[in-house]
Amino acid sequence: MAVLLFLDTQMLILIIIAFIILIIWGPSKIPQLARSFGQAVREFRRGASESEPEPELVEIAKKLGIDPSGKSRDELLTEISSKLQQQPAKVKAEGVKVDPRVLEMAEKLGIDTKGKSEEELIKEINWKLSNK
């Protein structure tokens, strides 16, 4: 009884809840329940982060003339991809046809642009953006 006096009410409530859970499901099911709870929290966080586009993605969309307001990450990726494929190709100094905006985006994302065609760069940009 003296031990209970040193515990605050919140801790006492948590201990009672844990004891009830132990009685209801038994010790063999608790790890499985904890694992399921962890997976649910992880999925919720991933879903919440996927709905909001990254600042880099918003900036790229604005440079391409796409209004990013109210759009999810996937919607922005789709619009950026279609916009990049519509861009007219321009001749680079090395003779490879690449739009300067595509080059700028690729360099901003840390993609090596040397000797790559516009299609290759667009694929790498799409891959890099979708795997963030």
Side-chain angles (χ1 to χ4, degrees), residues 13-95:
I13 290 172
L14 287 176
I15 291 172
I16 292 171
I17 290 173
F19 184 73
I20 291 171
I21 289 174
L22 186 63
I23 290 173
I24 291 174
W25 282 291
S28 63
K29 289 282 187 177
I30 290 177
Q32 184 180 6
L33 290 171
R35 194 175 310 115
S36 298
F37 180 74
Q39 288 174 344
V41 169
R42 197 173 319 118
E43 282 293 320
F44 176 78
R45 287 183 181 163
R46 190 180 69 152
S49 69
E50 284 180 359
S51 64
E52 293 181 23
E54 295 89 7
E56 294 172 335
L57 192 60
V58 170
E59 188 176 326
I60 290 171
K62 285 180 181 177
K63 283 187 178 184
L64 287 172
I66 299 169
D67 181 26
S69 59
K71 294 182 182 165
S72 70
R73 181 180 186 276
D74 293 334
E75 291 171 338
L76 272 181
L77 283 173
T78 304
E79 284 193 42
I80 288 173
S81 178
S82 65
K83 187 81 168 188
L84 285 175
Q85 291 174 356
Q86 295 171 0
Q87 295 293 326
K90 296 188 180 176
V91 179
K92 194 178 170 188
E94 302 158 4

Coordinates of all heavy atoms in Angstrom, one line a residue, residues 13-95:
I13 N -3.4 4.4 -13.1 CA -4.3 4.1 -14.1 C -3.7 3.2 -15.2 O -4.3 2.2 -15.7 CB -5.0 5.4 -14.7 CG1 -5.9 6.0 -13.6 CG2 -5.8 5.0 -15.9 CD1 -6.4 7.3 -14.0
L14 N -2.5 3.6 -15.6 CA -1.8 2.9 -16.6 C -1.5 1.4 -16.2 O -1.6 0.5 -16.9 CB -0.5 3.6 -17.0 CG -0.6 4.8 -17.9 CD1 0.7 5.5 -18.1 CD2 -1.3 4.5 -19.2
I15 N -1.1 1.3 -14.9 CA -0.8 0.0 -14.4 C -2.1 -0.9 -14.4 O -2.0 -2.1 -14.7 CB -0.2 0.1 -13.0 CG1 1.3 0.7 -13.1 CG2 -0.1 -1.3 -12.3 CD1 1.9 1.0 -11.8
I16 N -3.2 -0.3 -14.0 CA -4.5 -1.0 -13.9 C -4.9 -1.4 -15.3 O -5.3 -2.6 -15.5 CB -5.6 -0.2 -13.2 CG1 -5.2 0.0 -11.8 CG2 -6.9 -0.8 -13.4 CD1 -6.1 1.0 -11.0
I17 N -4.7 -0.5 -16.3 CA -5.1 -0.9 -17.7 C -4.2 -2.0 -18.2 O -4.7 -2.9 -18.9 CB -5.0 0.4 -18.6 CG1 -6.1 1.4 -18.2 CG2 -5.0 0.0 -20.1 CD1 -6.0 2.7 -18.9
A18 N -2.9 -1.9 -17.9 CA -2.0 -3.0 -18.4 C -2.3 -4.3 -17.7 O -2.3 -5.4 -18.4 CB -0.5 -2.6 -18.0
F19 N -2.7 -4.3 -16.5 CA -3.1 -5.5 -15.8 C -4.4 -6.1 -16.4 O -4.5 -7.3 -16.6 CB -3.3 -5.2 -14.3 CG -3.7 -6.4 -13.5 CD1 -2.7 -7.4 -13.2 CD2 -5.0 -6.6 -13.0 CE1 -3.0 -8.5 -12.4 CE2 -5.3 -7.7 -12.3 CZ -4.3 -8.7 -12.0
I20 N -5.4 -5.2 -16.7 CA -6.6 -5.7 -17.4 C -6.3 -6.3 -18.7 O -6.8 -7.4 -19.1 CB -7.6 -4.6 -17.5 CG1 -8.1 -4.2 -16.1 CG2 -8.8 -4.9 -18.3 CD1 -9.0 -2.9 -16.0
I21 N -5.4 -5.6 -19.5 CA -5.1 -6.2 -20.8 C -4.4 -7.5 -20.7 O -4.7 -8.4 -21.5 CB -4.2 -5.1 -21.6 CG1 -5.0 -3.9 -22.0 CG2 -3.5 -5.8 -22.8 CD1 -4.2 -2.8 -22.6
L22 N -3.5 -7.6 -19.7 CA -2.8 -8.9 -19.5 C -3.8 -10.0 -19.1 O -3.7 -11.1 -19.6 CB -1.8 -8.7 -18.3 CG -0.9 -9.9 -18.0 CD1 0.0 -10.2 -19.2 CD2 -0.1 -9.6 -16.8
I23 N -4.8 -9.7 -18.4 CA -5.8 -10.7 -18.0 C -6.7 -11.1 -19.2 O -7.0 -12.2 -19.5 CB -6.8 -10.2 -16.9 CG1 -5.9 -10.1 -15.6 CG2 -8.0 -11.0 -16.7 CD1 -6.7 -9.5 -14.4
I24 N -7.1 -10.1 -20.0 CA -8.0 -10.3 -21.1 C -7.3 -11.1 -22.3 O -7.8 -12.1 -22.7 CB -8.6 -9.0 -21.7 CG1 -9.5 -8.4 -20.7 CG2 -9.3 -9.2 -23.0 CD1 -10.0 -7.0 -21.1
W25 N -6.2 -10.7 -22.7 CA -5.5 -11.3 -23.9 C -4.4 -12.3 -23.5 O -4.0 -13.1 -24.3 CB -5.0 -10.2 -24.8 CG -6.0 -9.6 -25.6 CD1 -6.7 -10.2 -26.6 CD2 -6.5 -8.3 -25.5 NE1 -7.6 -9.3 -27.2 CE2 -7.5 -8.1 -26.5 CE3 -6.2 -7.2 -24.7 CZ2 -8.2 -6.9 -26.7 CZ3 -6.9 -6.0 -24.9 CH2 -7.9 -5.9 -25.9
G26 N -3.9 -12.2 -22.3 CA -2.9 -13.1 -21.9 C -1.5 -12.7 -22.4 O -1.4 -11.9 -23.3
P27 N -0.5 -13.2 -21.8 CA 0.9 -12.8 -22.1 C 1.4 -13.1 -23.5 O 2.3 -12.5 -24.0 CB 1.8 -13.4 -21.0 CG 0.9 -14.5 -20.5 CD -0.5 -14.2 -20.7
S28 N 0.8 -14.1 -24.1 CA 1.3 -14.5 -25.4 C 0.8 -13.6 -26.5 O 1.4 -13.5 -27.6 CB 0.8 -16.0 -25.7 OG -0.6 -16.0 -25.8
K29 N -0.3 -12.9 -26.3 CA -0.9 -12.0 -27.4 C -0.3 -10.6 -27.3 O -0.5 -9.8 -28.2 CB -2.4 -12.0 -27.3 CG -3.1 -13.2 -27.7 CD -3.1 -13.3 -29.2 CE -3.9 -14.5 -29.6 NZ -4.1 -14.6 -31.0
I30 N 0.2 -10.2 -26.2 CA 0.7 -8.8 -26.0 C 1.7 -8.4 -27.0 O 1.6 -7.3 -27.6 CB 1.1 -8.6 -24.5 CG1 -0.1 -8.6 -23.6 CG2 1.8 -7.2 -24.4 CD1 0.1 -8.5 -22.2
P31 N 2.7 -9.2 -27.3 CA 3.7 -8.7 -28.3 C 3.0 -8.6 -29.7 O 3.4 -7.6 -30.4 CB 4.7 -9.9 -28.4 CG 4.6 -10.5 -27.1 CD 3.2 -10.4 -26.6
Q32 N 2.1 -9.4 -30.0 CA 1.4 -9.3 -31.3 C 0.6 -8.0 -31.3 O 0.5 -7.3 -32.4 CB 0.5 -10.5 -31.5 CG -0.2 -10.6 -32.9 CD -1.0 -11.8 -33.0 OE1 -1.2 -12.6 -32.1 NE2 -1.6 -12.0 -34.2
L33 N -0.1 -7.7 -30.2 CA -0.9 -6.5 -30.2 C 0.0 -5.2 -30.3 O -0.4 -4.3 -31.0 CB -1.7 -6.4 -28.9 CG -2.9 -7.4 -28.7 CD1 -3.4 -7.4 -27.3 CD2 -3.9 -7.1 -29.7
A34 N 1.1 -5.3 -29.6 CA 2.0 -4.1 -29.7 C 2.6 -4.0 -31.1 O 2.7 -2.8 -31.6 CB 3.2 -4.3 -28.7
R35 N 2.9 -5.1 -31.7 CA 3.4 -5.0 -33.1 C 2.3 -4.4 -34.1 O 2.6 -3.6 -34.9 CB 3.8 -6.4 -33.6 CG 4.6 -6.4 -34.8 CD 5.1 -7.9 -35.2 NE 5.7 -8.5 -34.1 CZ 5.3 -9.6 -33.4 NH1 4.1 -10.2 -33.9 NH2 5.9 -10.2 -32.4
S36 N 1.1 -4.9 -33.9 CA 0.0 -4.4 -34.7 C -0.2 -2.9 -34.5 O -0.4 -2.1 -35.4 CB -1.3 -5.1 -34.4 OG -1.1 -6.5 -34.7
F37 N -0.1 -2.5 -33.2 CA -0.3 -1.1 -32.9 C 0.8 -0.2 -33.5 O 0.6 0.8 -34.1 CB -0.3 -0.9 -31.4 CG -0.5 0.6 -31.0 CD1 -1.7 1.2 -31.1 CD2 0.6 1.3 -30.5 CE1 -1.8 2.5 -30.7 CE2 0.5 2.6 -30.1 CZ -0.7 3.2 -30.2
G38 N 2.1 -0.7 -33.5 CA 3.2 0.0 -34.1 C 3.0 0.1 -35.6 O 3.3 1.2 -36.2
Q39 N 2.6 -0.9 -36.2 CA 2.4 -0.9 -37.7 C 1.3 0.1 -38.0 O 1.4 0.8 -39.0 CB 2.0 -2.3 -38.2 CG 3.2 -3.2 -38.2 CD 2.7 -4.6 -38.6 OE1 1.6 -5.0 -38.6 NE2 3.7 -5.5 -39.0
A40 N 0.2 0.2 -37.3 CA -0.9 1.1 -37.5 C -0.4 2.5 -37.4 O -0.7 3.4 -38.2 CB -2.0 0.9 -36.6
V41 N 0.4 2.8 -36.4 CA 1.0 4.2 -36.2 C 1.9 4.5 -37.3 O 1.9 5.6 -37.9 CB 1.7 4.3 -34.8 CG1 2.5 5.6 -34.7 CG2 0.7 4.2 -33.7
R42 N 2.7 3.6 -37.8 CA 3.7 3.8 -38.9 C 2.9 4.1 -40.2 O 3.2 5.0 -40.9 CB 4.6 2.6 -39.1 CG 5.8 2.8 -39.9 CD 6.7 1.6 -39.9 NE 6.9 1.0 -38.6 CZ 6.5 -0.3 -38.4 NH1 6.0 -1.0 -39.4 NH2 6.7 -0.8 -37.2
E43 N 1.8 3.3 -40.4 CA 1.0 3.6 -41.6 C 0.3 4.9 -41.6 O 0.3 5.6 -42.6 CB 0.0 2.5 -41.8 CG 0.5 1.2 -42.3 CD 0.9 1.3 -43.8 OE1 0.2 2.0 -44.6 OE2 2.0 0.7 -44.1
F44 N -0.1 5.3 -40.4 CA -0.8 6.6 -40.3 C 0.2 7.7 -40.5 O -0.1 8.7 -41.3 CB -1.4 6.8 -38.9 CG -2.0 8.1 -38.6 CD1 -3.2 8.4 -39.1 CD2 -1.3 9.1 -37.9 CE1 -3.8 9.7 -38.9 CE2 -1.8 10.3 -37.7 CZ -3.1 10.6 -38.2
R45 N 1.4 7.6 -40.0 CA 2.4 8.7 -40.2 C 2.8 8.7 -41.7 O 3.0 9.8 -42.2 CB 3.6 8.4 -39.4 CG 3.4 8.7 -37.9 CD 4.6 8.6 -37.1 NE 4.4 8.8 -35.7 CZ 5.2 8.5 -34.7 NH1 6.3 7.8 -35.0 NH2 4.9 8.8 -33.5
R46 N 3.0 7.6 -42.3 CA 3.3 7.6 -43.7 C 2.2 8.2 -44.6 O 2.5 8.9 -45.5 CB 3.6 6.1 -44.2 CG 4.3 6.1 -45.6 CD 4.5 4.7 -46.0 NE 3.3 4.0 -46.2 CZ 3.1 3.0 -47.0 NH1 4.1 2.5 -47.6 NH2 1.9 2.5 -47.1
G47 N 1.0 7.8 -44.3 CA -0.1 8.4 -45.0 C -0.2 9.9 -44.9 O -0.5 10.6 -45.8
A48 N 0.0 10.4 -43.7 CA 0.0 11.8 -43.4 C 1.1 12.5 -44.1 O 0.9 13.6 -44.7 CB 0.1 12.1 -41.9
S49 N 2.3 11.9 -44.2 CA 3.4 12.6 -44.9 C 3.3 12.6 -46.4 O 3.8 13.4 -47.1 CB 4.7 12.0 -44.4 OG 4.8 10.7 -45.0
E50 N 2.6 11.5 -46.9 CA 2.4 11.4 -48.3 C 1.4 12.5 -48.9 O 1.5 12.9 -50.0 CB 1.9 10.0 -48.7 CG 3.0 9.0 -48.7 CD 2.5 7.6 -49.1 OE1 1.3 7.5 -49.4 OE2 3.3 6.7 -49.1
S51 N 0.5 12.9 -48.1 CA -0.5 13.8 -48.5 C 0.1 15.2 -48.7 O -0.4 16.0 -49.6 CB -1.7 13.8 -47.6 OG -1.3 14.3 -46.3
E52 N 1.1 15.6 -47.9 CA 1.7 16.9 -48.0 C 2.9 16.8 -48.9 O 3.8 16.0 -48.6 CB 2.1 17.4 -46.7 CG 0.9 17.7 -45.8 CD 1.3 18.2 -44.4 OE1 2.4 18.8 -44.3 OE2 0.6 18.1 -43.5
P53 N 3.0 17.6 -50.0 CA 4.2 17.6 -50.8 C 5.4 18.3 -50.1 O 5.2 19.2 -49.3 CB 3.8 18.4 -52.0 CG 2.6 19.2 -51.6 CD 2.0 18.5 -50.5
E54 N 6.6 17.8 -50.4 CA 7.8 18.4 -49.9 C 8.0 19.8 -50.4 O 7.5 20.1 -51.5 CB 9.0 17.5 -50.2 CG 9.0 16.1 -49.6 CD 8.3 15.1 -50.5 OE1 7.9 15.4 -51.7 OE2 8.1 14.0 -50.0
P55 N 8.7 20.6 -49.7 CA 9.0 22.0 -50.2 C 9.7 22.0 -51.5 O 9.4 22.9 -52.3 CB 9.8 22.6 -49.1 CG 9.5 21.8 -47.8 CD 9.2 20.4 -48.3
E56 N 10.6 21.1 -51.7 CA 11.3 21.0 -53.0 C 10.4 20.8 -54.1 O 10.5 21.4 -55.2 CB 12.4 19.9 -53.0 CG 13.5 20.1 -52.0 CD 14.4 18.9 -51.9 OE1 13.9 17.8 -52.2 OE2 15.6 19.1 -51.5
L57 N 9.4 19.9 -53.9 CA 8.5 19.5 -54.9 C 7.6 20.7 -55.3 O 7.3 21.0 -56.4 CB 7.6 18.3 -54.5 CG 6.7 17.7 -55.5 CD1 7.6 17.1 -56.6 CD2 6.0 16.5 -54.8
V58 N 7.2 21.5 -54.2 CA 6.4 22.7 -54.4 C 7.1 23.7 -55.2 O 6.6 24.3 -56.1 CB 5.9 23.2 -53.1 CG1 5.3 24.6 -53.2 CG2 5.0 22.3 -52.4
E59 N 8.4 23.9 -54.9 CA 9.2 24.8 -55.6 C 9.4 24.5 -57.1 O 9.3 25.3 -58.0 CB 10.6 24.9 -54.9 CG 11.5 26.0 -55.5 CD 12.8 26.1 -54.7 OE1 12.8 25.9 -53.5 OE2 13.8 26.5 -55.4
I60 N 9.6 23.2 -57.4 CA 9.7 22.7 -58.7 C 8.4 23.0 -59.5 O 8.5 23.4 -60.7 CB 10.2 21.2 -58.8 CG1 11.6 21.1 -58.3 CG2 10.0 20.6 -60.2 CD1 12.0 19.7 -58.1
A61 N 7.3 22.7 -58.9 CA 6.0 22.9 -59.5 C 5.8 24.4 -59.8 O 5.4 24.7 -60.9 CB 4.9 22.4 -58.6
K62 N 6.2 25.2 -58.9 CA 6.1 26.7 -59.2 C 6.9 27.1 -60.4 O 6.5 27.9 -61.2 CB 6.4 27.5 -57.9 CG 5.3 27.4 -56.9 CD 5.7 28.2 -55.6 CE 4.7 28.1 -54.6 NZ 5.1 28.9 -53.3
K63 N 8.1 26.6 -60.4 CA 9.0 27.0 -61.5 C 8.5 26.5 -62.9 O 8.8 27.1 -63.9 CB 10.4 26.4 -61.3 CG 11.2 27.1 -60.3 CD 12.7 26.6 -60.3 CE 13.4 27.4 -59.2 NZ 14.8 27.0 -59.2
L64 N 7.7 25.4 -62.9 CA 7.1 24.9 -64.1 C 5.8 25.6 -64.4 O 5.1 25.3 -65.4 CB 6.9 23.4 -64.0 CG 8.2 22.6 -64.1 CD1 7.9 21.1 -63.8 CD2 8.9 22.7 -65.5
G65 N 5.3 26.5 -63.5 CA 4.1 27.2 -63.7 C 2.9 26.4 -63.3 O 1.7 26.6 -63.7
I66 N 3.1 25.5 -62.4 CA 2.0 24.7 -61.8 C 1.6 25.2 -60.4 O 2.5 25.5 -59.6 CB 2.4 23.2 -61.7 CG1 2.8 22.6 -63.0 CG2 1.3 22.4 -61.0 CD1 3.5 21.2 -62.9
D67 N 0.3 25.4 -60.2 CA -0.2 25.9 -58.9 C -0.3 24.8 -58.0 O -1.1 23.9 -58.1 CB -1.5 26.6 -59.1 CG -2.1 27.1 -57.8 OD1 -1.2 27.5 -56.9 OD2 -3.3 27.2 -57.6
P68 N 0.6 24.7 -56.9 CA 0.6 23.6 -56.0 C -0.4 23.6 -54.9 O -0.5 22.7 -54.1 CB 2.1 23.7 -55.4 CG 2.4 25.1 -55.4 CD 1.7 25.7 -56.7
S69 N -1.1 24.7 -54.8 CA -2.1 24.8 -53.6 C -3.2 23.8 -53.7 O -3.8 23.6 -54.7 CB -2.6 26.2 -53.5 OG -3.3 26.6 -54.7
G70 N -3.4 23.1 -52.6 CA -4.5 22.2 -52.5 C -4.3 20.8 -53.2 O -5.2 20.1 -53.3
K71 N -3.1 20.6 -53.6 CA -2.8 19.3 -54.3 C -1.9 18.4 -53.4 O -1.1 18.9 -52.7 CB -2.1 19.6 -55.6 CG -2.9 20.4 -56.6 CD -2.2 20.6 -57.9 CE -3.2 21.4 -58.8 NZ -2.5 22.0 -59.9
S72 N -2.2 17.1 -53.6 CA -1.4 16.1 -52.8 C -0.1 15.9 -53.5 O 0.2 16.4 -54.6 CB -2.1 14.8 -52.7 OG -2.2 14.2 -54.0
R73 N 0.8 15.2 -52.8 CA 2.1 14.9 -53.4 C 2.0 14.2 -54.7 O 2.7 14.5 -55.7 CB 2.9 14.1 -52.3 CG 4.3 13.8 -52.8 CD 5.0 12.9 -51.6 NE 6.3 12.7 -51.9 CZ 6.8 11.7 -52.7 NH1 5.9 10.9 -53.2 NH2 8.1 11.5 -52.9
D74 N 1.2 13.2 -54.7 CA 1.0 12.3 -55.9 C 0.5 13.2 -57.1 O 0.9 13.0 -58.3 CB 0.1 11.1 -55.7 CG 0.8 10.2 -54.7 OD1 2.0 10.1 -54.6 OD2 0.0 9.4 -54.0
E75 N -0.5 14.0 -56.8 CA -1.0 14.9 -57.9 C 0.0 15.8 -58.5 O 0.1 16.0 -59.7 CB -2.2 15.7 -57.4 CG -3.4 14.9 -57.0 CD -4.5 15.7 -56.3 OE1 -4.2 16.8 -55.7 OE2 -5.7 15.3 -56.3
L76 N 0.8 16.4 -57.6 CA 1.9 17.3 -58.0 C 2.9 16.5 -58.9 O 3.4 17.0 -59.9 CB 2.6 17.9 -56.9 CG 2.1 19.2 -56.4 CD1 2.9 19.8 -55.2 CD2 2.0 20.2 -57.5
L77 N 3.3 15.3 -58.4 CA 4.2 14.4 -59.2 C 3.7 14.1 -60.6 O 4.4 14.2 -61.6 CB 4.5 13.1 -58.5 CG 5.5 13.2 -57.3 CD1 5.5 11.9 -56.6 CD2 6.9 13.6 -57.7
T78 N 2.4 13.8 -60.7 CA 1.8 13.6 -62.0 C 1.8 14.8 -62.9 O 2.2 14.7 -64.1 CB 0.3 13.1 -61.8 OG1 0.3 12.0 -60.9 CG2 -0.3 12.7 -63.1
E79 N 1.5 15.9 -62.3 CA 1.5 17.2 -63.2 C 2.9 17.6 -63.6 O 3.1 18.0 -64.7 CB 0.8 18.3 -62.4 CG -0.7 18.2 -62.4 CD -1.3 19.5 -61.9 OE1 -0.9 20.6 -62.3 OE2 -2.3 19.4 -61.1
I80 N 3.9 17.4 -62.7 CA 5.3 17.8 -63.0 C 5.8 16.8 -64.1 O 6.4 17.3 -65.1 CB 6.2 17.7 -61.8 CG1 5.9 18.8 -60.8 CG2 7.6 17.7 -62.2 CD1 6.6 18.8 -59.5
S81 N 5.5 15.6 -64.0 CA 5.9 14.6 -65.0 C 5.3 14.9 -66.4 O 6.0 14.9 -67.4 CB 5.5 13.2 -64.6 OG 5.8 12.3 -65.5
S82 N 4.0 15.2 -66.4 CA 3.4 15.5 -67.7 C 3.9 16.8 -68.3 O 4.1 17.0 -69.5 CB 1.9 15.5 -67.6 OG 1.5 16.6 -66.8
K83 N 4.1 17.8 -67.4 CA 4.7 19.1 -67.8 C 6.1 19.0 -68.4 O 6.4 19.6 -69.4 CB 4.6 20.1 -66.7 CG 5.0 21.5 -67.0 CD 3.8 22.2 -67.6 CE 4.1 23.7 -67.7 NZ 2.9 24.4 -68.0
L84 N 6.9 18.1 -67.7 CA 8.3 17.9 -68.2 C 8.3 17.2 -69.6 O 9.1 17.5 -70.4 CB 9.1 17.1 -67.2 CG 9.5 17.8 -65.9 CD1 10.2 16.8 -65.0 CD2 10.4 19.0 -66.3
Q85 N 7.4 16.3 -69.8 CA 7.3 15.6 -71.1 C 6.8 16.6 -72.2 O 7.1 16.3 -73.4 CB 6.5 14.4 -71.0 CG 7.1 13.4 -70.1 CD 6.3 12.1 -69.9 OE1 5.1 12.1 -70.3 NE2 6.8 11.2 -69.2
Q86 N 6.1 17.6 -71.9 CA 5.6 18.6 -72.9 C 6.6 19.6 -73.2 O 6.5 20.3 -74.2 CB 4.3 19.2 -72.4 CG 3.2 18.3 -72.2 CD 2.0 19.0 -71.5 OE1 2.1 20.2 -71.1 NE2 0.9 18.2 -71.3
Q87 N 7.7 19.8 -72.4 CA 8.7 20.8 -72.6 C 9.4 20.7 -73.9 O 9.8 19.6 -74.3 CB 9.7 20.8 -71.5 CG 9.1 21.2 -70.1 CD 8.7 22.6 -70.0 OE1 9.2 23.5 -70.6 NE2 7.6 22.8 -69.3
P88 N 9.6 21.8 -74.7 CA 10.3 21.7 -75.9 C 11.8 21.5 -75.6 O 12.3 22.1 -74.7 CB 10.1 23.0 -76.6 CG 9.7 23.9 -75.5 CD 9.1 23.1 -74.4
A89 N 12.5 20.6 -76.3 CA 13.9 20.4 -76.1 C 14.7 21.5 -76.7 O 14.4 22.0 -77.8 CB 14.3 19.0 -76.7
K90 N 15.8 21.9 -76.0 CA 16.7 22.9 -76.5 C 18.1 22.2 -76.6 O 18.4 21.3 -75.8 CB 16.7 24.1 -75.6 CG 15.4 24.8 -75.6 CD 15.4 26.1 -74.8 CE 14.0 26.7 -74.9 NZ 13.9 27.9 -74.2
V91 N 18.9 22.8 -77.4 CA 20.3 22.2 -77.6 C 21.2 22.7 -76.6 O 21.4 23.9 -76.4 CB 20.8 22.6 -79.0 CG1 22.2 22.0 -79.3 CG2 19.8 22.1 -80.1
K92 N 21.9 21.8 -75.9 CA 22.9 22.1 -74.9 C 24.2 22.2 -75.6 O 24.4 21.8 -76.8 CB 22.9 21.0 -73.9 CG 23.7 21.3 -72.6 CD 23.6 20.1 -71.7 CE 24.6 20.3 -70.5 NZ 24.7 19.2 -69.7
A93 N 25.2 22.8 -75.0 CA 26.5 23.0 -75.6 C 27.2 21.7 -76.1 O 27.9 21.7 -77.1 CB 27.5 23.7 -74.6
E94 N 26.9 20.6 -75.5 CA 27.5 19.3 -75.9 C 26.7 18.7 -77.0 O 27.1 17.6 -77.5 CB 27.4 18.3 -74.7 CG 28.2 18.9 -73.5 CD 27.7 18.2 -72.2 OE1 26.9 17.3 -72.2 OE2 28.2 18.6 -71.2
G95 N 25.7 19.3 -77.5 CA 24.9 18.7 -78.6 C 23.7 17.9 -78.2 O 23.0 17.4 -79.0

